[in-house]
Amino acid sequence: MALTQDQLAEIAAHRDATAPTRRATVPALEALLYEAMPVLDHGFVRVVDYMGDDGAVVQAARVSYGRGTRKTTEDSGLIRYLMRHRHSTPFEMCEIKFHVKLPIFVARQWIRHRMANVNEYSARYSIMDREFYIPAPENLAAQSSVNRQGRGEVLQGQEAEDVLRILRDDASQTYDHYAAMLNEDGADPSRQGLARELARMNLTLNTYTQWYWKSDLHNLLNFLSLRADSHAQYEIRVYADAMLKAVEAWVPQTYAAFTDYRMGAVTLSAGMLAVVKRLLAGEPVEQQASGLSKREWTELMTSLGR
Ligand SMILES: Cc1cc2nc3c(=O)[nH]c(=O)nc-3n(C[C@H](O)[C@H](O)[C@H](O)COP(=O)(O)OP(=O)(O)OC[C@H]3O[C@@H](n4cnc5c(N)ncnc54)[C@H](O)[C@@H]3O)c2cc1C
């Protein structure tokens, strides 16, 4: 995470300033506010603003005049009920804004989540930094032979070294060409320099970009349920994991309900439930006669730890 001294000083100054407010604030999230949580080799996530807290979810659900909160146990019971029954709108009353620095190929996956407000660093207006994501050796995996969207064993020895060298060399070379085409400050007086909006097309997808990303709590939880999941690619999952820490600090009761009913839960189809009922009744059930496909069967058995 390469933050400059100036950027660190700006963050520190922002963290030192306080202002009185009547609005709900959350001390645990205030402690994190503006701090950059490092992700990957040069990336980060930092919370730059938020609105609401667990109380705001309860307040909206009860349509109260005041804070709407009762005893912590009652509030937490209500939040669990809302989460369990997918009553989503009370969670939309809370909002959070992140500043994220991430490789372009991760940004491409992330931007598919449409229910958010995004403003990205403009590579038409500004020059991209010379920063590329190079995986740590333990994350340099082979293509999975069983899952076309997944990874297999970690590459070893000469092959790993070759891949890392190719990634570094290609990114460096294309960046050198990018800088040469831009010809900033007239480095070569015989050339005009290509427009920034065109020169950038030559950069590799592991080049870092940045954006501000704002979402309400409901849609943030949808994002996290998909991207903090083991099926998500490692490089986006680590961002989701960092954001989960912010959610835990911000809305601990909602976070607890979310980890219970969404992250730790399994959805069973009617056919799967029927199999579970037969298993509980002590009936021997085989995949072929279960009505489930091989894949469904394997997923169910894995979920049941069988
Ligand atoms: C592991 C994984 C693998 C994936 N693989 C691929 C892939 O191979 N190819 C690919 O293209 N994508 C892929 N995706 C992206 C995926 O299909 C979704 O586009 C992405 O996760 C966004 O999810 P979302 O629609 O729930 O989120 P959001 O876009 O934030 O939407 C949230 C909800 O808002 C509603 N909504 C949003 N926009 C609209 C709209 N315009 N109209 C109606 N309702 C709307 C929907 O109810 C939606 O569920 C993958 C995602 C994951 C997690």
Side-chain angles (χ1 to χ4, degrees):
M1 184 181 59
L3 286 171
T4 63
Q5 287 306 317
D6 283 353
Q7 288 164 339
L8 289 170
E10 242 181 297
I11 291 174
H14 212 170
R15 280 176 62 77
D16 280 347
T18 55
T21 178
R22 290 195 170 93
R23 295 188 299 119
T25 54
V26 180
L29 190 60
E30 293 285 320
L32 279 181
L33 206 56
Y34 313 130
E35 282 284 23
M37 295 182 265
V39 184
L40 299 178
D41 50 359
H42 301 294
F44 61 72
V45 175
R46 59 190 200 103
V47 179
V48 288
D49 209 352
Y50 69 100
M51 178 176 84
D53 58 0
D54 277 326
V57 176
V58 169
Q59 185 190 40
R62 294 195 177 121
V63 194
S64 313
Y65 287 88
R67 293 280 295 125
T69 50
R70 294 195 186 144
K71 281 194 213 130
T72 308
T73 46
E74 278 181 40
D75 287 355
S76 135
L78 175 56
I79 286 175
R80 288 178 65 79
Y81 175 87
L82 297 170
M83 185 74 69
R84 196 161 63 243
H85 294 283
R86 295 183 177 269
H87 288 308
S88 50
T89 43
F91 298 104
E92 292 172 16
M93 300 299 154
C94 297
E95 298 228 342
I96 191 161
K97 184 160 62 184
F98 293 99
H99 176 190
V100 191
K101 183 171 172 191
L102 69 176
I104 293 171
F105 74 94
V106 175
R108 276 190 66 170
Q109 294 190 336
W110 194 317
I111 202 70
R112 298 301 312 282
H113 295 266
R114 299 155 290 176
M115 300 308 284
N117 306 104
V118 189
N119 195 69
E120 188 174 2
Y121 182 87
S122 171
R124 295 182 70 191
Y125 181 82
S126 308
I127 299 173
M128 299 292 278
D129 289 332
R130 191 189 185 97
E131 278 179 327
F132 324 112
Y133 167 60
I134 305 293
E138 65 271 22
N139 294 318
L140 208 62
Q143 172 61 42
S144 164
S145 54
V146 287
N147 177 359
R148 287 191 195 185
Q149 272 205 359
R151 300 182 185 189
E153 287 178 8
V154 173
L155 295 183
Q156 303 288 342
Q158 191 60 48
E159 185 177 5
E161 276 177 39
D162 290 347
V163 168
L164 286 174
R165 182 177 37 74
I166 290 169
L167 287 172
R168 275 196 203 99
D169 289 356
D170 284 1
S172 291
Q173 190 188 40
T174 59
Y175 194 91
D176 288 345
H177 290 162
Y178 169 69
M181 288 190 287
L182 288 174
N183 197 33
E184 276 297 308
D185 302 324
D188 176 351
S190 67
R191 292 192 294 118
Q192 276 190 292
L194 186 64
R196 292 171 185 177
E197 66 180 16
L198 285 172
R200 63 175 168 173
M201 70 177 146
N202 207 36
L203 294 170
T204 47
L205 290 180
N206 60 349
T207 308
Y208 275 87
T209 183
Q210 298 185 38
W211 61 33
Y212 266 44
W213 191 86
K214 179 170 77 66
S215 170
D216 64 58
L217 180 56
H218 165 65
N219 283 293
L220 171 63
L221 295 180
N222 180 51
F223 172 86
L224 294 175
S225 69
L226 292 167
R227 300 303 181 175
D229 184 85
S230 61
H231 295 94
Q233 175 167 350
Y234 166 79
E235 281 78 12
I236 195 165
R237 206 166 66 228
V238 282
Y239 283 91
D241 288 344
M243 292 159 84
L244 267 177
K245 289 196 186 109
V247 172
E248 185 178 11
W250 176 31
V251 281
Q253 293 176 343
T254 300
Y255 173 83
F258 172 67
T259 48
D260 199 11
Y261 291 123
R262 298 284 293 281
M263 296 299 285
V266 174
T267 303
L268 298 185
S269 67
M272 286 172 164
L273 187 59
V275 169
V276 172
K277 284 181 179 166
R278 286 169 65 190
L279 288 172
L280 284 174
E283 260 186 69
V285 192
E286 298 293 329
Q287 181 262 319
Q288 289 87 343
S290 68
L292 303 182
S293 70
K294 270 192 188 157
R295 193 162 183 173
E296 284 175 307
W297 177 265
T298 308
E299 284 174 13
L300 177 61
M301 292 304 133
T302 307
S303 300
L304 297 176
R306 292 167 80 111

